[in-house]
Each structure stands twice: as structure tokens, then as C-alpha cells.
């Protein structure tokens, strides 16, 4: 590993250098397969339940229960992975998820009552494997002390966005062209196969800390003040995703062109991917704390104009701009985790952030839907505006908490490295 880090420092950080990191492909390929179902789950549930019940409300409720369950349980999954190892958590997790997903499928096909669908949706969401955070934690092990960490964060952001482009398309095609249950069944199968292949890569997973100080080492990553600040920022990003999904659908429906919904959301996602690629190719000199505040300010400013857009072209342009502002904030936030949180708690920290995005998205979908129903077409775009504005205010006010403290002080607060042991 030392040779990898040394070579990284002697050349300009870039994707080529990153992908030549020894052992990277052994967890990247199965990791991509294992995280693909994450983007298929919600749309697969919606299409299946809507087909069996004839109600989008029931379908949306079942999907929302799954999303909230995932957001609440994800950090505990990350914490267990830090404490016992990724493999020990992944293997039972993917088994439970596959069984829960298939149970939800069977209940939906059997016209089970809503409470039964909810009962199956809870374990389905709670057991979603947190492969993305686990991949990020493995990059942290491979690139410790390397300038390629920002490139790795950008690469993961682009991978996530690609997942959320491919996953829904695959699920929709399966549910409409094959069978309404095909999407959820495929999601369960991919989770099982991809998760087991990823878990088999034992050599690249972070080392589990043992010893007398294990209790201190494995204290919650949420005790780190900077992680709490980042979680608020990621809640705001989730409000953008949720608000855009509902509001774009309502806007295209109001102009009689519902087919444009996918096009507009694709432009939004493309902006995210393009800026993510660019962020990873830049050798940044500014401190990440400053980049996060500036980038988040740009995101809030771009989101502020969405509610006033009344044409397809203007909304497409603003959507592209908003998407381009999301990736820098996400990438910088994940990069800061490497400085703020010791290695023994990083997987949990990453899952707090991904869970915050999911929770913000679930809340935004609900609020934006109510605004669209009760007020004018486009009122749901007020949700990204409000969510990012509140998160930006929190970032500015609590910016000092994003500066890493000496490890010795962090230990005193409950998360850190082992206390030094004198050696004769």
C-alpha cells in the first residue's frame, strides 16, 4: 500500500492514476453490481404495487416506508461494518434483503392488505446493503495520505449518479416489458449475487480494530461535530432530489407533456455527472471547508430560481445548473469525512450521509407533493429552495466544526485512535 501512495504523490491526481491503484478493480466491479439494485428498489416497488392495487398513493406509501427504513437503519449497518468487518455484515444483510424483497413481491401479487406490505417494506429497506459507503471506506484504506482521495470521492459520486440513471431505466423496462414483478425480483437477485461477490474481496476491506480500547474506537461517528454538520448539508441535497422528482413530474403533466419528465430529470442527472467528472480532474488548492461553503452557496442560488421557471427550455437549463452544483458539494462532503473521522468509524460516517440524503429525499417528496396539490404548478420547487437555504445557513454558522481536530482530542470525545502505549 505504501508504494501505491508514494506513486500517487509523484504524479498529478487523475482518474487514470486512480484506476491503476493496486487491487482497486477487485472491489470496484462487484461493488458496482451490488449497488445497482439500490437505484432499482423504489421504482420497482412503485410499479409493482401500483399494478396490483391500481393506486399510486398506496405504491408511493410502500416505497416511502422502504426509504425511511433504509435511512434509519443505514448508519447502524455502517457502524456494525466498522466494528465487525464489512464481510460479516454484508453476507447476512444481502440474504435478509433478498428474502424480504421476495416476500414483498409475493404479498403484492397476492393482493395483501396495506399493513402487510408495510410490514415487508420495513425489513426490505432496513437491509439494503450499504455498498457505496463500503467502497468509499476501501478507497480510504488504499489511498490513505494520497492526493487521490478527492479524485476517488469524485469517481464515487459519478458512479452513484450513473447508478441512478441506469437502475430506474432497467427496472422500468423489466416491469413494463417482462412482468410487473420482474424489477423487484431482479433487484433481489442482483443484491444477493453482487453483495456476495463484493464480500468475498477480503483483502481490501478496512481492518477491524480490536483490543482493550475497542469500545472507544467504535463509538458512533455521529459524535464527531463535523459529521452532524455534514448530515444537515446532505439533508438539503436530499431535498433537491426529492423536490425535483415530484415537481418535474407535476410540471410536465401540467403542460400536457408527461413524457418530458424523464428527459428533464436526465438533464439534471447529466449535470451532476459532468461536474463530478470535472471535480475529480482538478487539483484543488482551496481548503475543502471553503469549497463546501462556496459550492453549497452556488447550489442554493441555482435552486432559488426553479420555482419561477415556466418553460421547458428554462427549466432544462436551470436543472442542468442545479445538477452541476450538487456533485461538488457531495464530493467535498465525502472528502471531509477522511479528515474528520478515524478509519475505524468511516463506513458508519458515510452511511450517515447517504442516509441523510435518503431521509431528505423522502421528506421532500412528501412536502413537494402537498404543495403541488394545494397550490400552483411548480410550488414543489420551493422545497429545494428552502432545504438548501437552511442547510447553507447551518454550514456557514458551524463551519469551524468542519476543521479536523488533533486525534488525541477526538479520542477524548469518544472517537479516535487507540491511546499510545509506551514501549521499552
Amino acid at each position: 500500500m505504501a508504494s501505491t501512495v508514494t506513486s500517487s504523490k509523484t504524479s498529478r491526481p487523475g482518474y487514470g492514476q486512480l484506476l491503476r491503484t493496486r487491487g482497486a478493480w477487485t472491489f470496484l466491479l462487484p461493488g458496482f453490481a451490488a449497488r445497482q439494485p439500490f437505484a432499482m428498489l423504489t421504482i420497482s416497488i412503485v410499479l409493482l404495487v401500483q399494478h396490483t392495487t391500481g393506486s399510486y398513493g398506496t405504491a408511493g406509501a410502500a416505497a416511502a416506508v422502504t426509504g425511511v427504513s433504509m435511512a434509519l437503519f443505514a448508519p447502524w449497518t455502517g457502524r456494525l461494518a466498522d466494528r465487525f468487518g464489512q464481510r460479516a455484515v454484508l453476507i447476512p444483510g444481502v440474504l435478509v434483503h433478498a428474502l424480504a424483497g421476495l416476500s414483498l413481491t409475493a404479498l403484492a401479487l397476492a393482493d395483501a392488505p396495506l399493513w402487510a406490505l408495510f410490514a415487508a417494506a420495513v425489513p426490505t429497506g432496513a437491509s439494503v446493503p450499504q455498498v457505496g459507503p463500503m467502497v468509499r471506506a476501501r478507497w480510504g484504506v488504499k489511498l490513505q495520505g494520497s492526493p487521490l482521495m478527492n479524485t476517488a470521492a469524485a469517481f464515487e459520486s459519478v458512479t452513484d449518479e450513473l447508478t441512478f440513471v441506469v437502475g430506474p431505466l432497467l427496472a422500468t423496462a423489466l416491469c413494463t416489458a417482462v412482468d410487473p414483478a420482474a424489477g423487484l425480483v431482479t433487484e433481489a437477485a442482483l443484491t444477493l449475487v453482487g453483495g456476495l461477490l463484493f464480500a468475498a474481496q477480503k483483502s481490501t476491506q478496512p481492518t477491524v480494530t480490536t483490543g482493550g480500547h475497542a469500545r472507544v474506537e467504535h463509538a458512533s461517528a455521529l459524535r464527531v461535530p463535523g459529521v452532524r454538520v455534514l448530515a444537515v448539508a446532505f439533508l438539503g441535497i436530499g431535498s433537491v432530489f426529492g423536490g425535483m422528482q415530484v415537481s418535474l413530474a407535476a410540471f410536465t403533466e401540467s403542460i400536457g407533456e408527461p413524457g418530458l419528465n424523464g428527459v428533464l430529470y436526465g438533464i439534471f442527472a447529466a449535470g451532476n455527472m459532468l461536474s463530478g467528472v470535472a471535480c475529480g480532474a482538478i487539483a484543488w488548492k482551496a481548503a475543502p471547508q471553503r469549497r463546501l461553503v462556496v459550492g453549497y452557496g452556488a447550489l442554493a442560488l441555482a435552486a432559488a430560481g426553479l420555482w419561477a421557471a415556466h418553460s421547458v427550455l428554462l427549466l432544462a437549463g436551470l436543472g442542468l445548473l442545479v445538477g452541476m452544483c450538487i456533485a461538488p458539494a457531495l464530493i467535498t462532503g465525502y472528502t471531509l469525512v477522511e479528515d474528520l473521522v478515524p478509519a475505524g468509524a468511516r463506513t458508519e460516517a458515510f452511511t450517515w450521509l447517504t442516509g441523510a440524503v435518503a431521509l431528505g429525499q423522502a421528506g421532500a417528496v412528501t412536502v413537494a407533493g402537498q404543495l403541488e396539490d394545494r397550490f400552483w404548478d411548480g410550488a414543489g420547487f420551493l422545497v429545494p429552495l428552502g432545504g438548501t437555504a437552511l442547510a447553507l445557513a447551518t454550514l456557514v454558522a458551524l463551519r469551524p466544526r468542519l476543521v479536523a481536530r488533533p486525534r488525541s482530542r477526538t479520542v477524548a470525545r469518544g472517537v479516535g485512535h487507540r491511546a499510545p502505549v509506551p514501549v521499552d
Side-chain angles (χ1 to χ4, degrees):
M1 185 174 71
S3 62
T4 301
V5 173
T6 302
S7 63
S8 299
K9 291 182 178 179
T10 58
S11 60
R12 183 178 181 275
Y15 292 109
Q17 184 71 24
L18 177 72
L19 297 177
R20 287 193 295 272
T21 302
R22 182 179 299 174
W25 286 104
T26 63
F27 64 84
L28 283 180
L29 289 178
F32 182 78
R35 74 210 296 180
Q36 191 64 47
F38 181 82
M40 299 175 62
L41 183 59
T42 298
I43 188 64
S44 296
I45 293 175
V46 168
L47 294 175
L48 173 61
V49 176
Q50 192 279 330
H51 172 78
T52 57
T53 65
S55 169
Y56 277 106
T58 301
V65 169
T66 305
V68 172
S69 177
M70 189 278 289
L72 294 177
F73 281 89
W76 299 105
T77 301
R79 189 175 185 183
L80 290 173
D82 285 326
R83 184 165 188 175
F84 299 107
Q86 295 182 1
R87 177 183 171 87
V89 174
L90 265 176
I91 292 177
V94 296
L95 292 172
V96 170
H97 183 76
L99 289 174
L102 293 176
S103 298
L104 179 57
T105 304
L107 288 170
L109 293 174
D111 295 324
L114 185 59
W115 67 264
L117 296 180
F118 285 175
V122 171
T124 301
S127 59
V128 171
Q130 299 301 310
V131 176
M134 290 181 182
V135 171
R136 286 182 167 91
R138 294 189 185 216
W139 277 124
V141 172
K142 301 295 291 185
L143 302 175
Q144 187 173 8
S146 168
L148 284 170
M149 274 309 307
N150 186 73
T151 307
F155 180 82
E156 289 305 308
S157 178
V158 173
T159 302
D160 283 339
E161 202 58 40
L162 180 61
T163 297
F164 276 96
V165 171
V166 175
L169 291 176
L170 176 60
T172 301
L174 288 169
C175 291
T176 55
V178 180
D179 186 88
L184 203 51
V185 171
T186 303
E187 187 273 341
L190 284 175
T191 298
L192 183 62
V193 175
L196 292 178
L197 288 175
F198 183 79
Q201 311 306 314
K202 295 185 290 184
S203 63
T204 56
Q205 74 172 346
T207 304
V208 178
T209 305
T210 57
H213 294 273
R215 183 185 62 83
V216 174
E217 186 71 30
H218 294 296
S220 174
L222 202 60
R223 292 190 181 185
V224 179
V227 173
R228 298 196 293 269
V229 177
L230 290 174
V232 173
F234 278 52
L235 276 170
I237 292 173
S239 75
V240 177
F241 286 121
M244 290 289 284
Q245 287 174 350
V246 172
S247 302
L248 287 176
F251 172 79
T252 54
E253 185 71 29
S254 69
I255 63 173
E257 296 288 348
L260 288 176
N261 179 33
V263 175
L264 290 175
Y265 198 82
I267 292 173
F268 164 69
N272 198 344
M273 291 180 63
L274 290 173
S275 64
V277 172
C279 283
I282 296 174
W284 296 99
K285 294 182 180 180
Q289 296 83 2
R290 181 180 180 184
R291 298 204 313 267
L292 180 60
V293 172
V294 172
Y296 215 97
L299 173 60
L301 185 62
L306 288 170
W307 70 275
H310 299 295
S311 71
V312 173
L313 288 178
L314 182 57
L315 196 53
L318 284 172
L320 180 67
L321 182 60
V322 171
M324 292 177 68
C325 293
I326 285 179
L330 281 174
I331 291 166
T332 308
Y334 282 124
T335 302
L336 279 168
V337 169
E338 301 294 332
D339 296 329
L340 293 169
V341 182
R346 282 180 191 155
T347 306
E348 182 200 348
F350 288 135
T351 54
W352 275 112
L353 300 188
T354 56
V357 173
L359 194 59
Q361 183 175 350
V365 167
T366 304
V367 175
Q370 292 294 321
L371 290 175
E372 291 289 348
D373 287 341
R374 296 172 182 269
F375 299 101
W376 67 92
D377 293 327
F381 285 123
L382 293 173
V383 174
L385 186 160
T388 54
L390 290 173
L392 177 61
T394 302
L395 277 177
V396 172
L398 302 179
R399 180 183 172 185
R401 298 191 180 185
L402 297 176
V403 178
R405 297 184 177 186
R407 291 302 186 195
S408 59
R409 294 180 64 184
T410 306
V411 171
R413 295 181 64 87
V415 179
H417 294 300
R418 298 183 191 180
V421 179
V423 179
D424 294 332

